[in-house]
Amino acid sequence: MGEPLSSTGEHLLEIRELKKYFPIKKGVFRRNAGWVQAVDGVSLHIGKGETLGLVGESGCGKSTIGRCILRLLEPTEGDIFFEGKNISTLDPAGMKRFRRKVQAIFQDPYSSLNPRMSVGHIVREPLLVQGLHSGAKREERVEDLFRKVGLRPEYMSRYPHEFSGGQRQRIGIARSLALQPDLIVCDEPVSALDVSIQAQVINLLDDLKQEFGLSYLFIAHDLSVVEHVSDRIAVMYLGKIVEVAKDTELYSNPLHPYTRALLSAIPIPKPQQKKKRTILRGEVPSPINPPAGCRFHPRCSEAMEGCSREEPVLKAVNDHHQVSCFLYP
Ligand code: SF4
């Protein structure tokens, strides 16, 4: 591992050359038989008050990035900076502050809430753990959080199973807001919800962002989900970022063949309007032994000679757009 890099502190969160490999253990002696290269050299940043959408198919490594940011996983290589400080070198006081400032909302509102706790206690718990507020002030704060996410404080004594999926996700959001965070890692927060409820939860997250000046890392497998919440979007394929652009730019001028294929898969509301659909060839290759050269080349309809040998790097095509593809020299 090289020397840890330093951050300019310009961004709220900065990820530099992040790698996360998982060992594959085999045999009676659990010998290491290889590595799953879940994240392989990813650099990203999120500004204050900004939402970065992170999109890619299942297994591309996007949730692993979220878990490394939350320090639920230790990176194999690379550095993550929050407010200019390397989170792997924080002292206990710094780590306590980091845990307060960076929160998470997970995909499955059914399993992320403790079924034996009342929902009031679930939202109150972070305040107790961090020793914030006491007595009536704490209860006032919990009630206020319920109102903020569109739930009645009278529900506080009920248990998670008494709520619908959308309501449970609102409870998860209230819990994530309890400590007044600056950044929330939203890991597929609407994927497990009915389509009719998804828009309500996305609108709620957007309103809360405006009200509290929050930043989000919004992880999703579908470009249509992140469209309305993101300021910038990063597209990920097999452990690497292949394109990053401002939201409007990505949807109006997608450059990477993989981004174009993902966009062409979004259904359009007017059935009479024809849309050219790009069908991706084959399956996503294994991250245990990713293809040489451009990792997308076995599925790319525009692959050229050299794409299977050389690996493209992420390069700026303008101030708001980066792509990793030989089509854009
Ligand atoms: Fe396709 Fe080549 Fe671009 Fe990779 S580098 S996306 S294979 S054209």
Side-chain angles (χ1 to χ4, degrees):
M1 205 187 294
E3 278 286 294
L5 299 158
S6 63
S7 160
T8 56
E10 187 187 335
H11 307 293
L12 181 67
L13 183 92
E14 201 176 336
I15 301 172
R16 298 255 191 99
E17 290 298 325
L18 181 72
K19 291 187 182 178
K20 180 63 192 174
Y21 291 3
F22 295 98
I24 304 163
K25 302 281 182 196
K26 274 203 178 146
V28 190
F29 298 107
R30 312 293 297 146
R31 287 219 175 85
N32 198 354
W35 299 92
V36 175
Q37 300 175 25
V39 177
D40 198 16
V42 163
S43 296
L44 286 171
H45 65 264
I46 302 176
K48 195 146 180 47
E50 186 185 41
T51 298
L52 177 71
L54 182 58
V55 177
E57 287 164 289
S58 164
C60 70
K62 54 194 190 305
S63 291
T64 304
I65 294 181
R67 284 175 160 72
C68 288
I69 294 170
L70 293 164
R71 297 222 59 192
L72 300 175
L73 290 172
E74 205 51 48
T76 308
E77 265 185 46
D79 294 286
I80 300 172
F81 300 92
F82 181 72
E83 294 178 324
K85 294 196 182 81
N86 192 325
I87 63 168
S88 66
T89 60
L90 293 175
D91 60 18
M95 185 44 77
K96 191 174 178 195
R97 185 173 186 280
F98 173 77
R99 293 260 178 246
R100 215 173 74 216
K101 291 287 172 191
V102 182
Q103 294 288 314
I105 302 168
F106 293 105
Q107 175 179 359
D108 187 355
Y110 294 86
S111 61
S112 63
L113 304 180
N114 187 335
R116 284 184 288 276
M117 273 188 192
S118 70
V119 294
H121 192 66
I122 287 171
V123 176
R124 189 182 303 116
E125 199 187 26
L127 298 171
L128 294 168
V129 170
Q130 288 269 346
L132 289 181
H133 308 305
S134 58
K137 188 133 188 270
R138 188 166 56 217
E139 286 318 291
E140 222 173 88
R141 171 93 184 118
V142 177
E143 284 177 18
D144 195 37
L145 286 164
F146 269 75
R147 282 189 211 99
K148 288 271 182 252
V149 299
L151 292 173
R152 289 161 57 182
E154 297 92 277
Y155 294 165
M156 278 166 52
S157 55
R158 297 189 184 176
Y159 286 80
H161 71 268
E162 297 176 67
F163 294 88
S164 67
Q167 287 174 321
R168 287 185 212 210
Q169 198 54 296
R170 284 172 190 268
I171 295 160
I173 293 169
R175 179 181 55 186
S176 74
L177 289 175
L179 300 174
Q180 296 175 291
D182 288 332
L183 173 70
I184 303 185
V185 175
C186 308
D187 191 357
E188 305 240 19
V190 295
S191 307
L193 303 178
D194 286 352
V195 176
S196 57
I197 309 294
Q198 287 187 359
Q200 293 174 15
V201 173
I202 287 176
N203 288 340
L204 172 66
L205 287 169
D206 209 26
D207 291 347
L208 294 169
K209 174 187 160 175
Q210 308 303 335
E211 186 173 348
F212 298 113
L214 297 167
S215 301
Y216 293 137
L217 173 66
F218 199 104
I219 299 169
H221 58 261
D222 184 337
L223 271 168
S224 65
V225 170
V226 294
E227 184 174 4
H228 301 292
V229 279
S230 303
D231 299 300
R232 282 183 306 124
I233 294 165
V235 180
M236 203 170 169
Y237 184 78
L238 215 55
K240 302 234 177 218
I241 301 294
V242 295
E243 187 162 5
V244 189
K246 260 176 83 79
D247 59 338
T248 44
E249 169 106 5
L250 191 95
Y251 289 91
S252 61
N253 183 28
L255 297 179
H256 198 282
Y258 180 58
T259 311
R260 293 206 294 260
L262 288 182
L263 275 172
S264 81
I266 299 176
I268 42 174
K270 295 177 188 157
Q272 65 276 25
Q273 213 171 304
K274 290 261 181 303
K275 180 161 138 181
K276 192 167 173 275
R277 175 116 197 243
T278 311
I279 308 285
L280 284 172
R281 299 186 303 207
E283 296 293 316
V284 183
S286 165
I288 298 171
N289 193 12
C294 171
R295 291 187 174 190
F296 188 57
H297 86 261
R299 303 175 80 196
C300 182
S301 56
E302 297 174 61
M304 306 166 283
E305 216 216 319
C307 290
S308 58
R309 287 194 309 272
E310 302 271 331
E311 190 173 351
V313 291
L314 203 60
K315 281 187 188 163
V317 285
N318 62 43
D319 287 351
H320 310 296
H321 206 152
Q322 291 171 291
V323 67
S324 159
C325 173
F326 292 127
L327 291 170
Y328 310 96

